[in-house]
């Protein structure tokens, strides 16, 4: 089946079997291997991408279901407004706070966290833990991940306040 | 410019830039030209004779190019055989694909090669295998009255692959003289590593020059290369094993698996075609190694003042269907017997351990190997002893700890403990935790009502960085005490390090760069590290036994120092200065008493590589050096964890209110990485203590085959962890102690201990689940 999808702002036309998952279309057909697979049955969250503004598990969605959709993956997070490759504040925070070790869960964590910060500007640690609990990390014990999301949120809140008062 | 040491600071990890932007290089991500994909056909029965395999239909499936079975001429003659010189160890074979019979549900029986993974799975579904069932054995400690009907391996008619008795002193006399004697019978729950990236491999063989490249998510590329050379009958130098970015390991990937060997054999049968296999989670739960399925029957004697006088133990470890390569079925039982007594002094000890074959997935190394179970066992004895003596459980532990004055302490298993920091860890943990406050809260709840609260404690030693005298593994054909490191100054003065370590998330590129930067005298940013490629680095045994910071780090330090000496000698000759007055800092060579550098490392390197006309007499071109390091013994790392848990009588729900861990990791190279290792391992320990359980039914079917049944803790379950350090430098070049596993060792003991403390019961079986708590609260 022929589909069109926009990934990180770039339009792609693909011819896929109906059974092909969105994760495989991204990884195999578009070479965007940043989206990882940890279970392929919807539990671990490693494959989380944002489709039309909502986080979805790319292992549970067929590529054909994403026809005409806008997909955001980890590859599109960095880049800044002018595409200069600047890391996203969450990526910076993950590095600063050791929110990643092996990096297998990281793309899903980042996409989930990005959506969280978009929808909940000032989450406390309990909220972060609850909201991130659909993503499994086997390495970090979550301390660094919660620290990173909290840190990114706090910096953003500070930045917003600074802008308001200036 | 002055040089700030890189070690001891949390520099930005070298790995982060690519891993954060989706540009990691994982085996699962690899695509090679004309690559084909492999799917394995796995046995649905636990034990059965294979009476026929029909591949005709599979070969008709679109896109399928080949189907291999255990009898295929490319596969048939080969078998893995984990060897050990241990007396009484029964050696058995593990075929790459099952031959004649299957020994566990999930064992690979055939492999289908196709154009993509979807088509390979279509092909796998079309393979028809007939089985004639045999009686399965699932439990490793069935009554001796049950005769073994159909042994797993005919070489071991009683299914016993190995047994050994550790003995010290006179246990019977010591027990007879004890003031109190306590007995415990415990079991621990089977669970596994489950890294987020499952196993994966890509193999490609070039027939013209007989060269095999195997990209694999392995923790042990050099061990894999050596064994593949033997099995594939290729010169070792013709095999290149590459472990690029690996998405977690935890021991599960420290094994050479039959699927790995099958993939390489198939690649050799299909020269020029790259074959890729990426395991899915269901396969991982079925067929990657499991661990911790143990039973302990224990008796301990204490003196009236609490002194531990004797321990007698019988231990059964479920080894599963095969003795894993290279660790053998001895990996868990021997670790259990060797480390059972942990941080406690003891003279009279008798412990018989057994590795029993069953029709379940093979057991292998998993972070902490056996000690999460043995710490649970030992702390259970301590709690029983305290109850019998009406003594404070922490005071009883203190009474028996190995103290600094006892170091070096020879444990009853003859391992030599060089730590003695247990009491320091315990003291700091208690202070951070504020034990008095929690005891008061516990009493308050008992008087005024409220959810029962319990306090659990676990003390442990992590045997890390084992050298040749205490080498990891049960008398295998090789000693794992050393690693190599090459430090190369490039013509532009920047540094490339070729280290034998491998990384599955531990940040070893970063740690090695820090160590070399300091040993050599250059900035951290000037150092780039290559790991995990047998064609690039000379040698490394890999990631296991918390060994790499100690051993790989030691080699990196020595190599850095060595090349520093070479660079300074050349600088001295070029500038006609006495070498003993020279110092290399921040990539510049300084003369004592002078503020300005006399020459840069870049200039020295340029001469070494490009300007042989300027090379002084007696100097060869080039600027690099290789060193091995072997610590001979090992470095014990001490640890203490203490936590407060509450239990909801209405639901059985378990709430972790506070969790404190204090470890002696020796000198710390990267504080944040070290704490990350500790936090991650505690989380895995909590998973094993409360959630993760691989359950087989009596027929040998895995009942927990997906992540909906096999529960791994998330950010919602793992509490805020408070981590502290006492840092006593170890006697090795960098002063570090290993830190990869310690955190996993205590949570079993802590969680079970807290529940026992809250309800005044004894907890004999793990995991501690809400259902179990509810039962205990509603007897
Ligand atoms: S891979 Fe999609 S949720 Fe695990
Ligand atoms: S960093 Fe390895 S799984 Fe999260």
């Amino acid at each position: 089946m022929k589909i069109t999808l926009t990934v990180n702002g770039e339009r792609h036309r693909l011819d896929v079997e109906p059974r092909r998952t969105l994760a495989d279309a991204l990884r195999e057909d578009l070479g965007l291997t940043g989206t990882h697979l940890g279970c392929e049955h919807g539990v671990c969250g490693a494959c989380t991408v944002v489709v039309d503004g909502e986080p979805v598990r790319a292992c549970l969605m067929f590529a054909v279901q994403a026809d005409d959709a806008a997909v955001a993956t980890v590859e599109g997070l960095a880049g800044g407004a002018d595409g200069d490759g600047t890391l996203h504040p969450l990526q910076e925070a993950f590095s600063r706070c050791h929110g990643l070790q092996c990096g297998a869960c990281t793309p899903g964590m980042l996409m989930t966290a990005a959506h969280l910060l978009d929808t909940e500007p000032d989450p406390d640690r309990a909220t972060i833990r609850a909201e991130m609990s659909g993503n499994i990390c086997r390495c970090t014990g979550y301390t660094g991940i919660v620290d990173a999301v909290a840190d990114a949120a706090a910096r953003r809140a500070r930045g917003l306040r600074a802008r308001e008062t200036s | 410019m002055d040089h700030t040491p890189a070690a001891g600071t949390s520099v930005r990890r070298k790995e982060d830039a690519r891993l954060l932007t989706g540009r990691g290089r994982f085996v699962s991500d690899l695509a090679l030209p004309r690559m084909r994909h492999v799917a394995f056909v796995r046995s649905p029965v636990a034990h059965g004779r294979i009476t026929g395999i029909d591949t005709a239909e599979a070969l008709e499936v679109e896109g399928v190019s080949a189907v291999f079975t255990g009898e295929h001429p490319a596969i048939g003659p080969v078998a893995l055989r984990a060897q050990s010189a241990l007396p009484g160890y029964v050696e058995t074979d593990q075929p790459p694909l099952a031959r004649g019979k299957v020994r566990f549900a999930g064992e690979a029986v055939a492999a289908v090669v196709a154009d993509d993974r979807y088509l390979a799975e279509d092909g796998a579904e079309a393979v028809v295998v007939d089985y004639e069932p045999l009686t399965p054995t699932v439990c490793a400690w069935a009554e001796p009255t049950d005769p073994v009907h159909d042994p797993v391996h005919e070489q071991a008619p009683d299914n016993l692959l190995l047994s050994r008795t550790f003995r010290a002193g006179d246990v019977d006399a010591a027990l007879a003289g004890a003031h109190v004697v306590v007995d415990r019978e415990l079991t621990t729950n089977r669970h596994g590593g489950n890294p987020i990236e499952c196993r994966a491999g890509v193999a490609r063989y070039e027939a013209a020059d007989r060269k095999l490249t195997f990209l694999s998510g392995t923790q042990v590329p050099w061990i894999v290369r050596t064994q593949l050379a033997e099995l594939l009958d290729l010169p070792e130098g013709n095999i290149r094993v590459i472990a690029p970015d690996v998405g977690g390991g935890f021991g599960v990937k420290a094994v050479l698996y039959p699927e790995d060997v099958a993939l390489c054999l198939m690649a050799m049968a299909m020269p020029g075609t790259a074959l890729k296999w990426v395991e899915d989670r269901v396969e991982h739960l079925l067929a990657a190694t499991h661990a911790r399925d143990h039973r302990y029957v224990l008796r301990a004697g204490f003196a009236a003042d609490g002194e531990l006088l004797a321990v007698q133990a019988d231990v059964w470890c479920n080894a599963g269907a095969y003795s894993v390569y290279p660790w053998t079925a001895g990996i868990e039982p021997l670790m259990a017997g060797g480390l059972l007594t942990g941080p406690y002094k003891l003279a009279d000890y008798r412990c018989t351990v057994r590795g029993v074959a069953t029709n379940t997935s093979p057991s292998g190394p998993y972070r902490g190997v056996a000690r999460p179970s043995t710490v649970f066992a030992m702390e259970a004895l301590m709690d029983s002893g305290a109850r019998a003596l009406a003594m404070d459980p922490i005071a009883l532990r203190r009474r028996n700890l190995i103290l600094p004055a006892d170091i070096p302490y020879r444990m009853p298993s003859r391992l030599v403990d060089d730590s003695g920091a247990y009491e320091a860890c315990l003291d700091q943990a208690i202070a951070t935790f504020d034990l008095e406050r929690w005891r008061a809260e516990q009493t308050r709840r008992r008087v005024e009502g409220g959810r029962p609260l319990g306090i659990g404690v676990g003390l442990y030693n992590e045997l890390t960085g084992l050298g040749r005298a205490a080498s990891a593994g049960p008398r295998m054909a090789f000693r794992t005490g050393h690693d190599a490191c090459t430090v190369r100054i490039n013509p532009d003065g920047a540094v490339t390090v070729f280290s034998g370590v491998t990384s599955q998330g531990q940040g070893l590129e970063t740690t090695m760069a820090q160590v070399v930067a300091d040993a050599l005298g250059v900035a951290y940013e000037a150092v780039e590290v290559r790991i995990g490629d047998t064609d690039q680095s000379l040698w490394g045994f890999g990631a296991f036994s918390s060994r790499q910071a100690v051993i790989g780090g030691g080699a990196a330090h020595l190599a850095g120092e060595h090349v520093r000496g070479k660079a300074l000698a050349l600088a001295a000759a070029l500038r006609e200065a006495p070498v003993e007055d020279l110092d290399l800092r921040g990539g510049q060579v300084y003369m004592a008493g002078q503020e300005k550098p006399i020459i840069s490392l870049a200039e020295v390197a340029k001469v070494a590589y490009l300007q042989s006309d300027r090379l002084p007499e007696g100097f060869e071109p080039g600027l690099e050096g290789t060193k091995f390091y072997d610590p001979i013994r090992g470095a014990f790392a001490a640890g203490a964890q203490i936590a407060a848990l509450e239990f909801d009588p209405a639901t059985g729900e378990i709430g972790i209110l506070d969790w404190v861990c204090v470890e002696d990791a020796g000198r710390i190279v990267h504080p944040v990485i070290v704490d990350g290792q500790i936090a991650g391992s505690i989380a895995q320990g909590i998973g094993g203590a409360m959630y993760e359980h691989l359950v087989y039914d009596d027929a040998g079917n895995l009942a927990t085959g997906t992540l909906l049944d096999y529960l791994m803790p998330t950010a919602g379950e793992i509490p805020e962890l408070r981590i502290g350090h006492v840092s006593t430098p170890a006697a090795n070049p960098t002063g570090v102690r290993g830190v990869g596993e310690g955190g996993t060792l205590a949570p079993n003991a802590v969680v079970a201990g807290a529940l026992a403390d809250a309800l005044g019961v004894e907890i004999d079986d793990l995991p501690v689940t809400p259902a179990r708590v509810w039962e205990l609260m509603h007897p």
Side-chain angles (χ1 to χ4, degrees), chain A residues 24-44:
Chain A
D24 285 338
L26 292 169
R27 290 175 52 81
E28 314 273 329
D29 301 333
L30 301 180
L32 294 172
T33 53
T35 299
H36 292 164
L37 291 168
C39 69
E40 294 171 80
H41 52 254
V43 179
C44 75

Side-chain angles (χ1 to χ4, degrees), chain A residues 139-143, chain B residues 674-684 718 721 723:
Chain A
C139 296
T140 61
Y142 302 103
T143 309
Chain B
V674 166
D675 282 0
Q677 284 295 308
I678 294 173
S681 54
I682 294 173
Q684 281 187 320
I718 298 301
L721 302 167
I723 295 167

Side-chain angles (χ1 to χ4, degrees), chain A:
Chain A
M1 288 174 74
K2 291 202 172 24
I3 58 168
T4 306
L5 68 173
T6 306
V7 184
N8 303 325
E10 199 179 320
R11 259 168 69 90
H12 299 273
R13 281 173 212 280
L14 288 177
D15 190 1
V16 293
E17 274 192 72
R19 64 175 173 172
R20 195 158 190 82
T21 64
L22 175 60
D24 285 338
L26 292 169
R27 290 175 52 81
E28 314 273 329
D29 301 333
L30 301 180
L32 294 172
T33 53
T35 299
H36 292 164
L37 291 168
C39 69
E40 294 171 80
H41 52 254
V43 179
C44 75
C47 64
T48 305
V49 297
V50 174
V51 177
D52 289 336
E54 286 303 318
V56 304
R57 314 224 143 185
C59 73
L60 291 186
M61 187 170 183
F62 292 115
V64 291
Q65 294 174 288
D67 190 16
D68 286 332
V71 182
T73 74
V74 69
E75 285 92 344
L77 262 191
D82 41 9
D84 61 353
T86 319
L87 290 186
H88 185 281
L90 269 169
Q91 291 170 316
E92 279 291 340
F94 266 65
S95 185
R96 205 166 38 241
C97 303
H98 200 37
L100 74 161
Q101 290 184 23
C102 76
C105 72
T106 311
M109 289 286 177
L110 286 169
M111 297 316 286
T112 305
H115 181 260
L116 168 63
L117 293 194
D118 284 347
T119 48
E120 172 94 49
D122 198 9
D124 60 15
R125 289 180 78 86
T127 308
I128 294 170
R129 283 185 178 276
E131 291 291 322
M132 303 290 294
S133 68
N135 292 65
I136 297 174
C137 174
R138 206 50 176 161
C139 296
T140 61
Y142 302 103
T143 309
I145 293 172
V146 179
D147 289 349
V149 179
D151 185 63
R155 279 171 197 255
R156 194 162 80 162
R158 272 204 303 277
L160 289 179
R161 270 199 304 277
R163 234 171 295 155
E164 276 162 20
T165 52
S166 69

Side-chain angles (χ1 to χ4, degrees), chain B residues 51-141:
Chain B
T51 51
I53 306 184
D54 185 351
T55 60
E57 202 185 314
L59 282 165
E60 294 305 313
V61 171
E62 182 211 328
V64 168
S65 42
V67 181
F68 291 83
T69 68
E71 307 291 346
H72 189 284
I75 309 274
V78 177
L80 279 160
R81 180 177 270 244
Q83 292 176 315
S84 159
L86 214 68
Y89 168 65
V90 180
E91 277 186 14
T92 49
D93 279 352
Q94 182 174 28
L97 296 171
R99 256 197 307 269
K101 72 174 199 167
V102 290
R103 294 183 173 84
F104 70 99
E107 182 168 7
V109 176
V112 176
V113 180
D115 292 346
D116 76 19
R117 174 67 187 233
Y118 288 78
L119 300 172
E121 284 181 19
D122 290 345
E125 261 170 42
V127 174
V128 182
V129 189
D130 294 318
Y131 301 94
E132 179 189 305
L134 295 167
T135 317
T137 304
V138 175
C139 178
W141 42 86

Side-chain angles (χ1 to χ4, degrees), chain B residues 370-456:
Chain B
R371 288 153 296 165
S373 304
T374 61
V375 172
F376 166 56
M378 205 58 203
E379 299 294 56
L381 284 177
M382 286 290 157
D383 285 338
S384 293
R387 226 166 291 134
L389 290 163
M391 217 174 143
D392 174 73
I394 289 179
L396 179 75
R397 286 170 169 82
R398 274 188 205 283
R399 170 69 187 78
N400 292 293
L401 283 177
I402 298 167
L403 299 173
D406 302 314
I407 296 307
Y409 182 80
R410 212 171 141 90
M411 295 171 63
S413 59
R414 291 197 281 280
L415 287 164
V416 178
D417 187 335
D418 71 331
S419 169
Y422 309 104
E423 191 166 45
C425 289
L426 178 63
D427 286 342
Q428 190 180 319
I430 286 175
T432 308
F433 178 69
D434 198 348
L435 179 59
E436 272 177 42
R437 185 174 72 88
W438 283 115
R439 283 282 177 225
E441 171 64 13
Q442 185 179 41
T443 312
R444 190 192 68 74
R445 292 188 185 200
R446 279 186 183 146
V447 177
E448 296 174 15
R451 292 179 185 178
L453 184 150
I455 294 160

Side-chain angles (χ1 to χ4, degrees), chain B residues 241-613:
Chain B
V241 180
I242 304 173
D245 286 325
V246 180
F250 317 117
V252 176
K253 296 177 185 169
V255 168
L256 180 60
Y257 283 94
E259 290 94 337
D260 299 326
V261 178
L263 194 68
C264 291
L265 289 167
M266 293 189 290
M268 289 181 73
M270 303 176 72
T273 302
L275 297 185
K276 179 177 189 176
W277 170 58
V278 177
E279 180 185 53
D280 69 26
R281 183 62 57 187
V282 173
E283 293 183 279
H284 186 87
L285 288 164
L286 267 178
T289 51
H290 296 174
R292 320 238 210 275
D293 189 356
H294 301 180
R295 177 178 189 233
Y296 294 78
V297 176
L298 305 157
R299 172 166 291 179
F302 292 88
D305 70 347
E307 184 189 354
L308 177 66
L309 298 176
V311 170
Q312 182 190 299
D314 270 290
V315 182
W316 289 260
C317 297
N318 191 329
Y322 291 100
S323 198
V324 293
Y325 187 88
W327 309 106
T328 81
I331 179 162
E332 290 199 308
L334 295 174
M335 186 67 92
L339 270 300
L340 176 64
T341 58
Y344 300 111
K345 282 186 281 200
L346 179 68
D348 298 296
Y349 178 59
R350 184 170 62 228
C351 175
T352 300
V353 297
R354 303 162 187 82
V356 182
T358 65
N359 297 107
T360 62
S361 187
S363 292
Y366 173 37
R367 201 174 198 174
V369 181
R371 288 153 296 165
S373 304
T374 61
V375 172
F376 166 56
M378 205 58 203
E379 299 294 56
L381 284 177
M382 286 290 157
D383 285 338
S384 293
R387 226 166 291 134
L389 290 163
M391 217 174 143
D392 174 73
I394 289 179
L396 179 75
R397 286 170 169 82
R398 274 188 205 283
R399 170 69 187 78
N400 292 293
L401 283 177
I402 298 167
L403 299 173
D406 302 314
I407 296 307
Y409 182 80
R410 212 171 141 90
M411 295 171 63
S413 59
R414 291 197 281 280
L415 287 164
V416 178
D417 187 335
D418 71 331
S419 169
Y422 309 104
E423 191 166 45
C425 289
L426 178 63
D427 286 342
Q428 190 180 319
I430 286 175
T432 308
F433 178 69
D434 198 348
L435 179 59
E436 272 177 42
R437 185 174 72 88
W438 283 115
R439 283 282 177 225
E441 171 64 13
Q442 185 179 41
T443 312
R444 190 192 68 74
R445 292 188 185 200
R446 279 186 183 146
V447 177
E448 296 174 15
R451 292 179 185 178
L453 184 150
I455 294 160
V457 56
L459 304 178
Y460 50 93
N461 48 17
E462 181 184 359
L463 185 45
T464 79
L466 296 171
R468 70 184 63 163
S471 180
R475 298 203 209 160
M476 301 177 304
F478 47 86
R479 286 263 148 176
T480 62
H482 54 273
D483 278 355
C485 184
T486 300
V487 170
R488 180 179 301 161
I489 318 279
N490 298 316
D492 61 1
V495 182
T496 307
V497 177
F498 302 87
S499 164
V501 301
T502 68
S503 191
Q504 302 77 38
Q506 308 93 313
L508 265 309
E509 278 173 64
T510 299
T511 305
M512 293 303 121
Q514 288 178 284
V515 169
V516 170
D518 289 352
L520 189 59
V522 298
Y524 167 72
E525 293 71 28
V527 183
E528 201 228 328
V529 179
R530 309 270 171 84
I531 58 176
D533 182 342
T534 60
D535 264 14
Q536 289 191 337
S537 304
L538 175 57
W539 189 262
F541 278 103
F544 51 87
S545 301
S546 302
R547 63 186 293 284
Q548 298 195 116
V550 176
I551 301 176
H557 178 87
L558 296 180
E561 272 190 336
H562 175 63
V563 175
R564 171 196 174 85
K566 280 190 165 182
L568 286 176
L570 181 50
L574 287 170
R575 287 290 182 265
E576 295 178 353
V579 68
E580 57 278 9
D581 287 352
L582 299 189
D583 187 21
L584 178 53
R585 303 192 300 269
Q588 300 285 342
V589 179
Y590 293 86
M591 176 108 124
Q594 289 184 20
E595 221 158 82
K596 285 226 170 85
I598 57 164
I599 190 170
S600 69
L601 183 60
E603 183 69 21
V604 174
K606 187 159 78 180
V607 172
Y609 287 98
L610 301 170
Q611 299 177 339
S612 52
D613 55 320

Side-chain angles (χ1 to χ4, degrees), chain B residues 33-51:
Chain B
R34 294 180 310 286
M35 185 167 81
R36 290 186 195 163
H37 297 258
V38 173
F40 287 101
V41 178
R42 296 185 180 277
S43 170
V45 303
H47 202 187
R49 246 182 282 283
I50 301 172
T51 51

